[in-house]
Amino acid sequence: APILLVEHAGYTNESTNDRVRETYEATNRQLRTAYDNLRKAGVRGVYYLPHSKFFLSQDETVDGTHPNDLGMRHLADAYEKKLRKVLR
């Protein structure tokens, strides 16, 4: 079965709060390193969805973090696009 690794979507206040930005960016770097290592080891069927494909705006969250209906639609669209490529 294919495996999709998905980066943290980030926070809408990351431009004014270095701590939250640095926290999720560090997590995303670790995930990317793990993905790269799997690919180098020849593991097939592992795919990657980066943060850049679904960053949410303030209008797409309830509290600056958790997606509202619009934000969930934004995330779903990003997942759908990637999963269509993965599952062909």
Side-chain angles (χ1 to χ4, degrees), residues 8-45:
H8 190 287
Y11 301 99
T12 60
N13 68 337
E14 68 183 52
S15 62
T16 59
N17 188 330
D18 292 338
R19 185 179 51 74
V20 297
R21 187 187 72 255
E22 290 166 0
T23 299
Y24 89 79
E25 285 179 346
T27 299
N28 288 349
R29 279 192 302 274
Q30 291 175 354
L31 183 64
R32 184 63 193 213
T33 297
Y35 171 74
D36 290 343
N37 288 339
L38 289 169
R39 299 283 295 171
K40 287 177 189 172
V43 176
R44 296 172 53 172

PDB file of all heavy atoms in Angstrom, residues 8-45:
ATOM      1  N   HIS A   8       3.479  19.245   8.423  1.00  0.00           N
ATOM      2  CA  HIS A   8       2.615  20.084   9.257  1.00  0.00           C
ATOM      3  C   HIS A   8       2.195  21.298   8.441  1.00  0.00           C
ATOM      4  O   HIS A   8       3.004  21.898   7.741  1.00  0.00           O
ATOM      5  CB  HIS A   8       3.382  20.520  10.499  1.00  0.00           C
ATOM      6  CG  HIS A   8       2.550  21.172  11.535  1.00  0.00           C
ATOM      7  ND1 HIS A   8       2.057  22.446  11.401  1.00  0.00           N
ATOM      8  CD2 HIS A   8       2.110  20.715  12.727  1.00  0.00           C
ATOM      9  CE1 HIS A   8       1.362  22.767  12.470  1.00  0.00           C
ATOM     10  NE2 HIS A   8       1.371  21.726  13.283  1.00  0.00           N
ATOM     11  N   ALA A   9       0.945  21.681   8.540  1.00  0.00           N
ATOM     12  CA  ALA A   9       0.409  22.785   7.730  1.00  0.00           C
ATOM     13  C   ALA A   9       0.871  24.156   8.201  1.00  0.00           C
ATOM     14  O   ALA A   9       0.755  25.126   7.478  1.00  0.00           O
ATOM     15  CB  ALA A   9      -1.114  22.739   7.734  1.00  0.00           C
ATOM     16  N   GLY A  10       1.389  24.260   9.401  1.00  0.00           N
ATOM     17  CA  GLY A  10       1.833  25.556   9.911  1.00  0.00           C
ATOM     18  C   GLY A  10       0.734  26.285  10.648  1.00  0.00           C
ATOM     19  O   GLY A  10      -0.350  25.744  10.903  1.00  0.00           O
ATOM     20  N   TYR A  11       1.018  27.526  10.987  1.00  0.00           N
ATOM     21  CA  TYR A  11       0.090  28.349  11.755  1.00  0.00           C
ATOM     22  C   TYR A  11      -0.047  29.702  11.076  1.00  0.00           C
ATOM     23  O   TYR A  11       0.894  30.201  10.464  1.00  0.00           O
ATOM     24  CB  TYR A  11       0.608  28.553  13.183  1.00  0.00           C
ATOM     25  CG  TYR A  11       0.798  27.268  13.936  1.00  0.00           C
ATOM     26  CD1 TYR A  11       2.054  26.689  14.054  1.00  0.00           C
ATOM     27  CD2 TYR A  11      -0.286  26.633  14.529  1.00  0.00           C
ATOM     28  CE1 TYR A  11       2.229  25.495  14.744  1.00  0.00           C
ATOM     29  CE2 TYR A  11      -0.116  25.438  15.217  1.00  0.00           C
ATOM     30  CZ  TYR A  11       1.141  24.879  15.325  1.00  0.00           C
ATOM     31  OH  TYR A  11       1.306  23.708  16.001  1.00  0.00           O
ATOM     32  N   THR A  12      -1.203  30.316  11.213  1.00  0.00           N
ATOM     33  CA  THR A  12      -1.412  31.603  10.554  1.00  0.00           C
ATOM     34  C   THR A  12      -0.667  32.739  11.237  1.00  0.00           C
ATOM     35  O   THR A  12      -0.496  33.794  10.646  1.00  0.00           O
ATOM     36  CB  THR A  12      -2.909  31.947  10.473  1.00  0.00           C
ATOM     37  OG1 THR A  12      -3.445  32.001  11.791  1.00  0.00           O
ATOM     38  CG2 THR A  12      -3.658  30.917   9.656  1.00  0.00           C
ATOM     39  N   ASN A  13      -0.202  32.517  12.466  1.00  0.00           N
ATOM     40  CA  ASN A  13       0.542  33.568  13.168  1.00  0.00           C
ATOM     41  C   ASN A  13       2.053  33.362  13.087  1.00  0.00           C
ATOM     42  O   ASN A  13       2.812  33.992  13.800  1.00  0.00           O
ATOM     43  CB  ASN A  13       0.103  33.657  14.627  1.00  0.00           C
ATOM     44  CG  ASN A  13       0.495  32.441  15.434  1.00  0.00           C
ATOM     45  OD1 ASN A  13       0.713  31.368  14.892  1.00  0.00           O
ATOM     46  ND2 ASN A  13       0.555  32.596  16.741  1.00  0.00           N
ATOM     47  N   GLU A  14       2.492  32.530  12.192  1.00  0.00           N
ATOM     48  CA  GLU A  14       3.923  32.219  12.118  1.00  0.00           C
ATOM     49  C   GLU A  14       4.782  33.412  11.721  1.00  0.00           C
ATOM     50  O   GLU A  14       5.956  33.459  12.052  1.00  0.00           O
ATOM     51  CB  GLU A  14       4.171  31.061  11.162  1.00  0.00           C
ATOM     52  CG  GLU A  14       3.885  31.386   9.716  1.00  0.00           C
ATOM     53  CD  GLU A  14       4.070  30.176   8.835  1.00  0.00           C
ATOM     54  OE1 GLU A  14       3.497  29.124   9.125  1.00  0.00           O
ATOM     55  OE2 GLU A  14       4.799  30.300   7.846  1.00  0.00           O
ATOM     56  N   SER A  15       4.198  34.388  11.042  1.00  0.00           N
ATOM     57  CA  SER A  15       4.991  35.551  10.657  1.00  0.00           C
ATOM     58  C   SER A  15       5.271  36.475  11.842  1.00  0.00           C
ATOM     59  O   SER A  15       6.198  37.280  11.794  1.00  0.00           O
ATOM     60  CB  SER A  15       4.294  36.335   9.538  1.00  0.00           C
ATOM     61  OG  SER A  15       3.059  36.826   9.989  1.00  0.00           O
ATOM     62  N   THR A  16       4.502  36.325  12.910  1.00  0.00           N
ATOM     63  CA  THR A  16       4.701  37.162  14.098  1.00  0.00           C
ATOM     64  C   THR A  16       5.145  36.363  15.317  1.00  0.00           C
ATOM     65  O   THR A  16       5.381  36.942  16.366  1.00  0.00           O
ATOM     66  CB  THR A  16       3.410  37.926  14.454  1.00  0.00           C
ATOM     67  OG1 THR A  16       2.360  36.980  14.701  1.00  0.00           O
ATOM     68  CG2 THR A  16       3.020  38.867  13.338  1.00  0.00           C
ATOM     69  N   ASN A  17       5.226  35.045  15.178  1.00  0.00           N
ATOM     70  CA  ASN A  17       5.607  34.201  16.305  1.00  0.00           C
ATOM     71  C   ASN A  17       6.679  33.213  15.835  1.00  0.00           C
ATOM     72  O   ASN A  17       6.362  32.153  15.294  1.00  0.00           O
ATOM     73  CB  ASN A  17       4.376  33.469  16.855  1.00  0.00           C
ATOM     74  CG  ASN A  17       4.673  32.731  18.137  1.00  0.00           C
ATOM     75  OD1 ASN A  17       5.787  32.277  18.383  1.00  0.00           O
ATOM     76  ND2 ASN A  17       3.655  32.585  18.968  1.00  0.00           N
ATOM     77  N   ASP A  18       7.924  33.589  16.054  1.00  0.00           N
ATOM     78  CA  ASP A  18       9.038  32.753  15.594  1.00  0.00           C
ATOM     79  C   ASP A  18       9.022  31.364  16.217  1.00  0.00           C
ATOM     80  O   ASP A  18       9.388  30.386  15.567  1.00  0.00           O
ATOM     81  CB  ASP A  18      10.376  33.426  15.899  1.00  0.00           C
ATOM     82  CG  ASP A  18      10.600  34.678  15.066  1.00  0.00           C
ATOM     83  OD1 ASP A  18       9.964  34.809  14.002  1.00  0.00           O
ATOM     84  OD2 ASP A  18      11.405  35.528  15.487  1.00  0.00           O
ATOM     85  N   ARG A  19       8.612  31.269  17.471  1.00  0.00           N
ATOM     86  CA  ARG A  19       8.635  29.980  18.173  1.00  0.00           C
ATOM     87  C   ARG A  19       7.751  28.945  17.486  1.00  0.00           C
ATOM     88  O   ARG A  19       8.173  27.817  17.249  1.00  0.00           O
ATOM     89  CB  ARG A  19       8.225  30.140  19.634  1.00  0.00           C
ATOM     90  CG  ARG A  19       8.351  28.846  20.433  1.00  0.00           C
ATOM     91  CD  ARG A  19       7.971  29.009  21.904  1.00  0.00           C
ATOM     92  NE  ARG A  19       6.696  29.627  22.171  1.00  0.00           N
ATOM     93  CZ  ARG A  19       5.486  29.043  22.011  1.00  0.00           C
ATOM     94  NH1 ARG A  19       5.405  27.835  21.562  1.00  0.00           N
ATOM     95  NH2 ARG A  19       4.381  29.671  22.314  1.00  0.00           N
ATOM     96  N   VAL A  20       6.525  29.311  17.151  1.00  0.00           N
ATOM     97  CA  VAL A  20       5.638  28.333  16.513  1.00  0.00           C
ATOM     98  C   VAL A  20       6.146  27.978  15.115  1.00  0.00           C
ATOM     99  O   VAL A  20       6.074  26.821  14.705  1.00  0.00           O
ATOM    100  CB  VAL A  20       4.164  28.789  16.469  1.00  0.00           C
ATOM    101  CG1 VAL A  20       3.599  28.962  17.858  1.00  0.00           C
ATOM    102  CG2 VAL A  20       3.960  30.022  15.645  1.00  0.00           C
ATOM    103  N   ARG A  21       6.661  28.962  14.386  1.00  0.00           N
ATOM    104  CA  ARG A  21       7.193  28.688  13.053  1.00  0.00           C
ATOM    105  C   ARG A  21       8.388  27.743  13.132  1.00  0.00           C
ATOM    106  O   ARG A  21       8.477  26.756  12.402  1.00  0.00           O
ATOM    107  CB  ARG A  21       7.588  29.983  12.341  1.00  0.00           C
ATOM    108  CG  ARG A  21       7.978  29.736  10.877  1.00  0.00           C
ATOM    109  CD  ARG A  21       8.547  30.952  10.177  1.00  0.00           C
ATOM    110  NE  ARG A  21       9.882  31.245  10.683  1.00  0.00           N
ATOM    111  CZ  ARG A  21      10.198  32.226  11.506  1.00  0.00           C
ATOM    112  NH1 ARG A  21       9.298  33.069  11.943  1.00  0.00           N
ATOM    113  NH2 ARG A  21      11.436  32.402  11.926  1.00  0.00           N
ATOM    114  N   GLU A  22       9.305  28.026  14.044  1.00  0.00           N
ATOM    115  CA  GLU A  22      10.495  27.191  14.180  1.00  0.00           C
ATOM    116  C   GLU A  22      10.139  25.769  14.599  1.00  0.00           C
ATOM    117  O   GLU A  22      10.771  24.806  14.147  1.00  0.00           O
ATOM    118  CB  GLU A  22      11.452  27.822  15.185  1.00  0.00           C
ATOM    119  CG  GLU A  22      12.087  29.100  14.663  1.00  0.00           C
ATOM    120  CD  GLU A  22      12.783  29.923  15.749  1.00  0.00           C
ATOM    121  OE1 GLU A  22      12.780  29.509  16.930  1.00  0.00           O
ATOM    122  OE2 GLU A  22      13.314  31.001  15.409  1.00  0.00           O
ATOM    123  N   THR A  23       9.120  25.630  15.444  1.00  0.00           N
ATOM    124  CA  THR A  23       8.710  24.301  15.912  1.00  0.00           C
ATOM    125  C   THR A  23       8.208  23.438  14.768  1.00  0.00           C
ATOM    126  O   THR A  23       8.664  22.314  14.571  1.00  0.00           O
ATOM    127  CB  THR A  23       7.624  24.426  17.001  1.00  0.00           C
ATOM    128  OG1 THR A  23       8.164  25.142  18.104  1.00  0.00           O
ATOM    129  CG2 THR A  23       7.151  23.061  17.463  1.00  0.00           C
ATOM    130  N   TYR A  24       7.269  23.949  13.990  1.00  0.00           N
ATOM    131  CA  TYR A  24       6.738  23.105  12.914  1.00  0.00           C
ATOM    132  C   TYR A  24       7.752  22.957  11.776  1.00  0.00           C
ATOM    133  O   TYR A  24       7.801  21.907  11.121  1.00  0.00           O
ATOM    134  CB  TYR A  24       5.370  23.578  12.423  1.00  0.00           C
ATOM    135  CG  TYR A  24       5.378  24.592  11.320  1.00  0.00           C
ATOM    136  CD1 TYR A  24       5.594  24.211   9.993  1.00  0.00           C
ATOM    137  CD2 TYR A  24       5.167  25.935  11.568  1.00  0.00           C
ATOM    138  CE1 TYR A  24       5.610  25.141   8.973  1.00  0.00           C
ATOM    139  CE2 TYR A  24       5.180  26.867  10.552  1.00  0.00           C
ATOM    140  CZ  TYR A  24       5.398  26.461   9.263  1.00  0.00           C
ATOM    141  OH  TYR A  24       5.416  27.383   8.245  1.00  0.00           O
ATOM    142  N   GLU A  25       8.583  23.962  11.538  1.00  0.00           N
ATOM    143  CA  GLU A  25       9.599  23.826  10.497  1.00  0.00           C
ATOM    144  C   GLU A  25      10.615  22.744  10.858  1.00  0.00           C
ATOM    145  O   GLU A  25      11.056  21.994   9.983  1.00  0.00           O
ATOM    146  CB  GLU A  25      10.291  25.155  10.234  1.00  0.00           C
ATOM    147  CG  GLU A  25       9.439  26.132   9.446  1.00  0.00           C
ATOM    148  CD  GLU A  25      10.124  27.473   9.193  1.00  0.00           C
ATOM    149  OE1 GLU A  25      11.148  27.768   9.844  1.00  0.00           O
ATOM    150  OE2 GLU A  25       9.616  28.222   8.336  1.00  0.00           O
ATOM    151  N   ALA A  26      10.971  22.654  12.133  1.00  0.00           N
ATOM    152  CA  ALA A  26      11.897  21.606  12.576  1.00  0.00           C
ATOM    153  C   ALA A  26      11.267  20.226  12.377  1.00  0.00           C
ATOM    154  O   ALA A  26      11.930  19.289  11.911  1.00  0.00           O
ATOM    155  CB  ALA A  26      12.276  21.815  14.044  1.00  0.00           C
ATOM    156  N   THR A  27       9.999  20.115  12.707  1.00  0.00           N
ATOM    157  CA  THR A  27       9.278  18.854  12.510  1.00  0.00           C
ATOM    158  C   THR A  27       9.246  18.492  11.028  1.00  0.00           C
ATOM    159  O   THR A  27       9.495  17.340  10.654  1.00  0.00           O
ATOM    160  CB  THR A  27       7.847  18.970  13.069  1.00  0.00           C
ATOM    161  OG1 THR A  27       7.920  19.248  14.458  1.00  0.00           O
ATOM    162  CG2 THR A  27       7.057  17.702  12.843  1.00  0.00           C
ATOM    163  N   ASN A  28       8.955  19.468  10.189  1.00  0.00           N
ATOM    164  CA  ASN A  28       8.899  19.207   8.750  1.00  0.00           C
ATOM    165  C   ASN A  28      10.263  18.823   8.190  1.00  0.00           C
ATOM    166  O   ASN A  28      10.353  17.966   7.310  1.00  0.00           O
ATOM    167  CB  ASN A  28       8.324  20.415   8.008  1.00  0.00           C
ATOM    168  CG  ASN A  28       6.840  20.581   8.239  1.00  0.00           C
ATOM    169  OD1 ASN A  28       6.176  19.705   8.787  1.00  0.00           O
ATOM    170  ND2 ASN A  28       6.300  21.719   7.832  1.00  0.00           N
ATOM    171  N   ARG A  29      11.331  19.428   8.702  1.00  0.00           N
ATOM    172  CA  ARG A  29      12.685  19.056   8.248  1.00  0.00           C
ATOM    173  C   ARG A  29      12.982  17.600   8.615  1.00  0.00           C
ATOM    174  O   ARG A  29      13.570  16.860   7.810  1.00  0.00           O
ATOM    175  CB  ARG A  29      13.738  19.975   8.861  1.00  0.00           C
ATOM    176  CG  ARG A  29      13.871  21.302   8.152  1.00  0.00           C
ATOM    177  CD  ARG A  29      15.124  22.060   8.597  1.00  0.00           C
ATOM    178  NE  ARG A  29      15.158  22.315  10.025  1.00  0.00           N
ATOM    179  CZ  ARG A  29      14.587  23.363  10.621  1.00  0.00           C
ATOM    180  NH1 ARG A  29      13.917  24.256   9.909  1.00  0.00           N
ATOM    181  NH2 ARG A  29      14.684  23.525  11.919  1.00  0.00           N
ATOM    182  N   GLN A  30      12.596  17.196   9.809  1.00  0.00           N
ATOM    183  CA  GLN A  30      12.827  15.811  10.225  1.00  0.00           C
ATOM    184  C   GLN A  30      12.045  14.833   9.352  1.00  0.00           C
ATOM    185  O   GLN A  30      12.561  13.784   8.965  1.00  0.00           O
ATOM    186  CB  GLN A  30      12.464  15.627  11.700  1.00  0.00           C
ATOM    187  CG  GLN A  30      13.402  16.334  12.639  1.00  0.00           C
ATOM    188  CD  GLN A  30      12.960  16.256  14.088  1.00  0.00           C
ATOM    189  OE1 GLN A  30      11.881  15.757  14.397  1.00  0.00           O
ATOM    190  NE2 GLN A  30      13.780  16.756  14.987  1.00  0.00           N
ATOM    191  N   LEU A  31      10.810  15.189   9.048  1.00  0.00           N
ATOM    192  CA  LEU A  31      10.006  14.332   8.187  1.00  0.00           C
ATOM    193  C   LEU A  31      10.630  14.241   6.800  1.00  0.00           C
ATOM    194  O   LEU A  31      10.707  13.155   6.210  1.00  0.00           O
ATOM    195  CB  LEU A  31       8.571  14.865   8.096  1.00  0.00           C
ATOM    196  CG  LEU A  31       7.603  14.006   7.287  1.00  0.00           C
ATOM    197  CD1 LEU A  31       7.395  12.646   7.942  1.00  0.00           C
ATOM    198  CD2 LEU A  31       6.273  14.729   7.130  1.00  0.00           C
ATOM    199  N   ARG A  32      11.085  15.362   6.260  1.00  0.00           N
ATOM    200  CA  ARG A  32      11.704  15.362   4.938  1.00  0.00           C
ATOM    201  C   ARG A  32      12.976  14.519   4.922  1.00  0.00           C
ATOM    202  O   ARG A  32      13.243  13.783   3.962  1.00  0.00           O
ATOM    203  CB  ARG A  32      12.020  16.803   4.491  1.00  0.00           C
ATOM    204  CG  ARG A  32      12.567  16.891   3.094  1.00  0.00           C
ATOM    205  CD  ARG A  32      11.534  16.384   2.106  1.00  0.00           C
ATOM    206  NE  ARG A  32      12.107  16.160   0.805  1.00  0.00           N
ATOM    207  CZ  ARG A  32      11.453  16.327  -0.327  1.00  0.00           C
ATOM    208  NH1 ARG A  32      10.193  16.736  -0.319  1.00  0.00           N
ATOM    209  NH2 ARG A  32      12.027  16.086  -1.461  1.00  0.00           N
ATOM    210  N   THR A  33      13.759  14.605   5.990  1.00  0.00           N
ATOM    211  CA  THR A  33      14.977  13.793   6.090  1.00  0.00           C
ATOM    212  C   THR A  33      14.623  12.306   6.091  1.00  0.00           C
ATOM    213  O   THR A  33      15.267  11.505   5.406  1.00  0.00           O
ATOM    214  CB  THR A  33      15.772  14.164   7.360  1.00  0.00           C
ATOM    215  OG1 THR A  33      16.186  15.526   7.250  1.00  0.00           O
ATOM    216  CG2 THR A  33      16.983  13.273   7.536  1.00  0.00           C
ATOM    217  N   ALA A  34      13.596  11.934   6.850  1.00  0.00           N
ATOM    218  CA  ALA A  34      13.161  10.536   6.883  1.00  0.00           C
ATOM    219  C   ALA A  34      12.718  10.080   5.494  1.00  0.00           C
ATOM    220  O   ALA A  34      13.080   8.986   5.037  1.00  0.00           O
ATOM    221  CB  ALA A  34      12.034  10.358   7.893  1.00  0.00           C
ATOM    222  N   TYR A  35      11.957  10.922   4.815  1.00  0.00           N
ATOM    223  CA  TYR A  35      11.498  10.602   3.455  1.00  0.00           C
ATOM    224  C   TYR A  35      12.689  10.436   2.508  1.00  0.00           C
ATOM    225  O   TYR A  35      12.764   9.450   1.755  1.00  0.00           O
ATOM    226  CB  TYR A  35      10.563  11.699   2.955  1.00  0.00           C
ATOM    227  CG  TYR A  35      10.199  11.584   1.503  1.00  0.00           C
ATOM    228  CD1 TYR A  35       9.308  10.604   1.066  1.00  0.00           C
ATOM    229  CD2 TYR A  35      10.750  12.445   0.560  1.00  0.00           C
ATOM    230  CE1 TYR A  35       8.968  10.497  -0.268  1.00  0.00           C
ATOM    231  CE2 TYR A  35      10.415  12.340  -0.775  1.00  0.00           C
ATOM    232  CZ  TYR A  35       9.530  11.363  -1.188  1.00  0.00           C
ATOM    233  OH  TYR A  35       9.199  11.264  -2.514  1.00  0.00           O
ATOM    234  N   ASP A  36      13.612  11.377   2.548  1.00  0.00           N
ATOM    235  CA  ASP A  36      14.795  11.300   1.687  1.00  0.00           C
ATOM    236  C   ASP A  36      15.606  10.037   1.964  1.00  0.00           C
ATOM    237  O   ASP A  36      16.092   9.382   1.033  1.00  0.00           O
ATOM    238  CB  ASP A  36      15.673  12.540   1.859  1.00  0.00           C
ATOM    239  CG  ASP A  36      15.038  13.796   1.283  1.00  0.00           C
ATOM    240  OD1 ASP A  36      14.089  13.698   0.473  1.00  0.00           O
ATOM    241  OD2 ASP A  36      15.486  14.904   1.684  1.00  0.00           O
ATOM    242  N   ASN A  37      15.736   9.672   3.231  1.00  0.00           N
ATOM    243  CA  ASN A  37      16.473   8.461   3.595  1.00  0.00           C
ATOM    244  C   ASN A  37      15.780   7.205   3.070  1.00  0.00           C
ATOM    245  O   ASN A  37      16.446   6.270   2.611  1.00  0.00           O
ATOM    246  CB  ASN A  37      16.664   8.376   5.106  1.00  0.00           C
ATOM    247  CG  ASN A  37      17.666   9.380   5.622  1.00  0.00           C
ATOM    248  OD1 ASN A  37      18.505   9.887   4.876  1.00  0.00           O
ATOM    249  ND2 ASN A  37      17.575   9.692   6.903  1.00  0.00           N
ATOM    250  N   LEU A  38      14.453   7.186   3.147  1.00  0.00           N
ATOM    251  CA  LEU A  38      13.710   6.042   2.613  1.00  0.00           C
ATOM    252  C   LEU A  38      13.914   5.926   1.104  1.00  0.00           C
ATOM    253  O   LEU A  38      14.122   4.829   0.581  1.00  0.00           O
ATOM    254  CB  LEU A  38      12.225   6.171   2.937  1.00  0.00           C
ATOM    255  CG  LEU A  38      11.839   5.979   4.395  1.00  0.00           C
ATOM    256  CD1 LEU A  38      10.390   6.403   4.620  1.00  0.00           C
ATOM    257  CD2 LEU A  38      12.037   4.523   4.802  1.00  0.00           C
ATOM    258  N   ARG A  39      13.850   7.047   0.419  1.00  0.00           N
ATOM    259  CA  ARG A  39      14.040   7.042  -1.037  1.00  0.00           C
ATOM    260  C   ARG A  39      15.455   6.579  -1.397  1.00  0.00           C
ATOM    261  O   ARG A  39      15.632   5.787  -2.321  1.00  0.00           O
ATOM    262  CB  ARG A  39      13.781   8.436  -1.609  1.00  0.00           C
ATOM    263  CG  ARG A  39      12.382   8.958  -1.381  1.00  0.00           C
ATOM    264  CD  ARG A  39      11.375   8.368  -2.283  1.00  0.00           C
ATOM    265  NE  ARG A  39      11.699   8.788  -3.639  1.00  0.00           N
ATOM    266  CZ  ARG A  39      11.121   8.319  -4.718  1.00  0.00           C
ATOM    267  NH1 ARG A  39      10.162   7.452  -4.606  1.00  0.00           N
ATOM    268  NH2 ARG A  39      11.482   8.728  -5.906  1.00  0.00           N
ATOM    269  N   LYS A  40      16.456   7.074  -0.655  1.00  0.00           N
ATOM    270  CA  LYS A  40      17.841   6.672  -0.913  1.00  0.00           C
ATOM    271  C   LYS A  40      18.046   5.183  -0.666  1.00  0.00           C
ATOM    272  O   LYS A  40      18.875   4.544  -1.316  1.00  0.00           O
ATOM    273  CB  LYS A  40      18.800   7.479  -0.041  1.00  0.00           C
ATOM    274  CG  LYS A  40      18.957   8.909  -0.484  1.00  0.00           C
ATOM    275  CD  LYS A  40      19.853   9.683   0.461  1.00  0.00           C
ATOM    276  CE  LYS A  40      19.827  11.167   0.128  1.00  0.00           C
ATOM    277  NZ  LYS A  40      20.518  11.974   1.129  1.00  0.00           N
ATOM    278  N   ALA A  41      17.288   4.634   0.294  1.00  0.00           N
ATOM    279  CA  ALA A  41      17.387   3.209   0.606  1.00  0.00           C
ATOM    280  C   ALA A  41      16.626   2.347  -0.401  1.00  0.00           C
ATOM    281  O   ALA A  41      16.634   1.122  -0.296  1.00  0.00           O
ATOM    282  CB  ALA A  41      16.861   2.953   2.021  1.00  0.00           C
ATOM    283  N   GLY A  42      15.959   2.992  -1.342  1.00  0.00           N
ATOM    284  CA  GLY A  42      15.249   2.251  -2.379  1.00  0.00           C
ATOM    285  C   GLY A  42      13.826   1.859  -2.025  1.00  0.00           C
ATOM    286  O   GLY A  42      13.216   1.053  -2.724  1.00  0.00           O
ATOM    287  N   VAL A  43      13.311   2.397  -0.938  1.00  0.00           N
ATOM    288  CA  VAL A  43      11.933   2.098  -0.548  1.00  0.00           C
ATOM    289  C   VAL A  43      10.996   2.743  -1.565  1.00  0.00           C
ATOM    290  O   VAL A  43      11.103   3.924  -1.867  1.00  0.00           O
ATOM    291  CB  VAL A  43      11.630   2.614   0.875  1.00  0.00           C
ATOM    292  CG1 VAL A  43      10.169   2.386   1.235  1.00  0.00           C
ATOM    293  CG2 VAL A  43      12.551   1.939   1.886  1.00  0.00           C
ATOM    294  N   ARG A  44      10.101   1.925  -2.097  1.00  0.00           N
ATOM    295  CA  ARG A  44       9.158   2.425  -3.089  1.00  0.00           C
ATOM    296  C   ARG A  44       7.780   2.582  -2.464  1.00  0.00           C
ATOM    297  O   ARG A  44       7.487   2.004  -1.428  1.00  0.00           O
ATOM    298  CB  ARG A  44       9.098   1.465  -4.261  1.00  0.00           C
ATOM    299  CG  ARG A  44      10.440   1.397  -4.981  1.00  0.00           C
ATOM    300  CD  ARG A  44      10.490   0.339  -6.010  1.00  0.00           C
ATOM    301  NE  ARG A  44       9.364   0.482  -6.937  1.00  0.00           N
ATOM    302  CZ  ARG A  44       9.222  -0.204  -8.040  1.00  0.00           C
ATOM    303  NH1 ARG A  44      10.132  -1.087  -8.379  1.00  0.00           N
ATOM    304  NH2 ARG A  44       8.186  -0.029  -8.818  1.00  0.00           N
ATOM    305  N   GLY A  45       6.951   3.391  -3.097  1.00  0.00           N
ATOM    306  CA  GLY A  45       5.581   3.549  -2.630  1.00  0.00           C
ATOM    307  C   GLY A  45       5.419   4.543  -1.501  1.00  0.00           C
ATOM    308  O   GLY A  45       4.401   4.549  -0.815  1.00  0.00           O
TER     309      GLY A  45
END
